[in-house]
Amino acid sequence: MRSGFVGVLLAAALACRGERAAPAAPEVALFSTVGDAPAAALSAAAARAGVARVRRVAAAADADVLWLGDPTEAVEAEALLLPGAVALPEGVDSRFGDPRGRWAPLCARALVLVVAPGAALPLDPVNVRDAADPRLAARVAVGPPGAPGLATPLAALGVTYGEASLRRFLALLARNRTRVAESERAARALVASGEAAVALLGSEEAAAGAASAAALEVVVPDQQGRGAVVLPTAVAVAQRAAGGAAAARLATWLVGAEAEALLAARAPGFMPLRAGVPVPVGVRPAGNVVALPLDWDRLAAEKRRLAPLLAAWPP
């Protein structure tokens, strides 16, 4: 009772002095497919900064803001998005953005190679195609090609080099007795344990391997060729939030410099798009990487078309 009475007196005193408590930040519903840990980290940071109280929702249709794992997901969700609501942030190369203004980029993830340190290999893997080299037979691991982390990058290879080239690559991987793990994390574990020497992974799992006791080497591939597959995550405002300032404010904050630096530090494997952002071991800023130029709408269509092939691999 005494504590309650003291609280009443304090409130009365503040009122007499003309002081008012700061208004609470507005609530914004967020749908995210980037993973729970990154979404939780930025949701908490947005609340601390007074930008928004983020309420995570399980369905895109119930969201005010969407943070999607790669641009193909934004293309698929286009009917829900409000074009022009969030602009390409200053300091970010337009190649990582959306020419149609449906979404804006926040960091990126890439398809990379991880190599066991000290492995006596007959070649230095520096290109994606090296994973199918016969000299590495039975020494390469991958996650499920039909899973989101690999399906989009493989579709990007199909868009760039043609479906026939992608099919040859997959056939060579299968002929090479490539280990297909149940997940990217399991593929990384095969390299860490010595059961495989090389794995084809997304940059998040690769960074985890670099920071682990195994100290796996991360190789961003094809830097002397046409470039690596680098896919930004996509932040968009939903049409259902049209006319409201809170959703646009959160989306703009998410693609801003503060959130990007926080994400790069808290979620290793997310590659910052701005220059000068510190990165952990095993990660390179996206601006320092030669990346394939990609048309996001064409990539989304190719991903849909190749889905049955990737889901059925290996034959």
Side-chain angles (χ1 to χ4, degrees):
M1 293 293 294
R2 178 177 175 80
S3 62
F5 179 67
V6 171
V8 171
L9 288 179
L10 179 59
L14 290 174
C16 290
R17 292 171 55 188
E19 298 181 10
R20 295 182 180 178
E27 182 180 87
V28 178
L30 174 70
F31 173 75
S32 174
T33 61
V34 299
D36 284 337
L42 290 195
S43 295
R48 289 194 302 270
V51 175
R53 291 180 293 113
V54 178
R55 174 171 56 87
R56 303 272 301 281
V57 294
D62 297 329
D64 302 315
V65 173
L66 294 85
W67 182 18
L68 304 173
D70 69 56
T72 66
E73 295 183 30
V75 173
E76 295 290 344
E78 181 175 8
L80 299 175
L81 309 184
L82 183 64
V86 54
L88 180 76
E90 185 177 353
V92 174
D93 193 314
S94 61
R95 64 186 168 134
F96 295 118
D98 176 27
R100 294 174 56 187
R102 294 163 291 185
W103 52 270
L106 167 57
C107 285
R109 295 178 286 192
L111 181 66
V112 301
L113 297 163
V114 296
V115 182
L121 298 179
L123 75 159
D124 291 327
V126 294
N127 302 305
V128 167
R129 65 178 177 271
D130 289 336
D133 192 296
R135 291 171 291 177
L136 294 179
R139 304 191 70 183
V140 176
V142 298
L150 286 178
T152 307
L154 289 174
L157 296 178
V159 165
T160 303
Y161 299 104
E163 182 182 342
S165 177
L166 176 62
R167 284 181 176 272
R168 283 195 300 271
F169 174 66
L170 292 174
L172 289 172
L173 278 180
R175 188 181 308 167
N176 234 19
R177 305 192 307 279
T178 298
R179 297 280 300 271
V180 183
E182 62 184 13
S183 65
E184 287 188 69
R185 178 172 296 183
R188 187 242 299 174
L190 289 173
V191 179
S193 69
E195 295 182 60
V198 180
L200 193 60
L201 299 174
S203 54
E204 281 180 279
E205 281 300 329
S212 71
L216 303 183
E217 178 188 357
V218 179
V219 178
V220 179
D222 302 294
Q223 293 304 281
Q224 300 304 315
R226 298 177 70 174
V229 179
V230 179
L231 300 168
T233 72
V235 175
V237 175
Q239 288 195 24
R240 70 191 296 270
R249 184 182 181 194
L250 175 62
T252 300
W253 181 85
L254 285 172
V255 300
E258 178 185 351
E260 179 180 62
L262 178 64
L263 182 62
R266 296 281 184 87
F270 282 82
M271 306 159 68
L273 304 177
R274 294 173 176 82
V277 178
V279 293
V281 63
V283 181
R284 290 172 60 179
N288 294 352
V289 170
V290 180
L292 292 176
L294 293 167
D295 178 294
W296 309 126
D297 291 85
R298 184 182 173 198
L299 177 58
E302 186 75 351
K303 180 181 175 182
R304 286 193 301 271
R305 198 174 64 81
L306 292 174
L309 168 67
L310 298 179
W313 190 90

